[in-house]
Amino acid sequence: MSKGLTIILLALLFAACEYRFPSQQTFPADKALFIMTSDNISSSGFAVYDGEQMLLGEGDFHPDAVVRLHYPYMYVINRLGRDNIQILNIQDNYKTVAEIPLPGTAALRANPQDIVFFGDRAFVSAYGTGEIHIFNTATLAFESSIQ
């Protein structure tokens, strides 16, 4: 493994803050690769690669999170323990614009697994409750759940 790649990977592993890139570092949002990483305990981060350079960002994501794109937003599925959908605005330097909590109880957490999009709705499968949670992608508001 090259020294440069090792440094990038180590930097990603030790990232654990909420703010994204400094304002002077931006990417064309539609021409970049988003890479999320975690140490599977407490730290998470991400990198954005445009084919020429890679910028490192810091994120507050669940250690077992999954990322899905539905332009112009990046949806981070924060699983068991966080039980929410974190929405990053690609056009605003990957800043978090909303976190949509999913219904559940202390004994029966939602534990979201994946998300699909249809029109202006997002459907989130919840392993813990066995439900599908629906929210509006235009208003970023939770709407309902179905068994």
Side-chain angles (χ1 to χ4, degrees):
M1 184 180 314
S2 73
K3 184 178 180 181
L5 182 57
T6 302
I7 291 170
I8 290 170
L9 291 175
L10 287 173
L12 287 172
L13 289 174
F14 293 111
C17 297
E18 173 60 27
Y19 188 67
R20 306 295 171 229
F21 301 122
S23 60
Q24 70 272 16
Q25 295 180 326
T26 58
F27 275 113
D30 58 344
K31 297 179 182 176
L33 174 66
F34 183 90
I35 305 162
M36 186 175 68
T37 187
S38 167
D39 66 2
N40 288 325
I41 297 173
S42 62
S43 296
S44 56
F46 65 92
V48 176
Y49 179 68
D50 71 351
E52 295 179 14
Q53 63 176 331
M54 185 175 296
L55 292 177
L56 304 178
E58 299 174 340
D60 181 19
F61 309 124
H62 186 274
D64 188 25
V66 174
V67 177
R68 299 289 183 252
L69 172 66
H70 187 65
Y71 197 80
Y73 298 110
M74 187 75 67
Y75 293 82
V76 179
I77 304 159
N78 288 310
R79 293 183 170 172
L80 186 62
R82 287 277 297 268
D83 298 291
N84 71 28
I85 305 300
Q86 184 175 350
I87 303 168
L88 311 178
N89 187 338
I90 294 170
Q91 297 173 328
D92 191 13
N93 234 8
Y94 297 87
K95 289 182 183 173
T96 298
V97 295
E99 287 193 39
I100 300 172
L102 299 175
T105 65
L108 188 61
R109 305 294 298 249
N111 192 6
Q113 296 297 300
D114 211 344
I115 188 169
V116 295
F117 303 94
F118 184 76
D120 62 353
R121 300 290 187 272
F123 300 83
V124 180
S125 61
Y127 180 75
T129 59
E131 297 176 322
I132 301 292
H133 301 293
I134 304 166
F135 68 90
N136 187 303
T137 57
T139 64
L140 304 179
F142 176 81
E143 290 187 347
S144 64
S145 299
I146 49 179
Q147 284 280 33

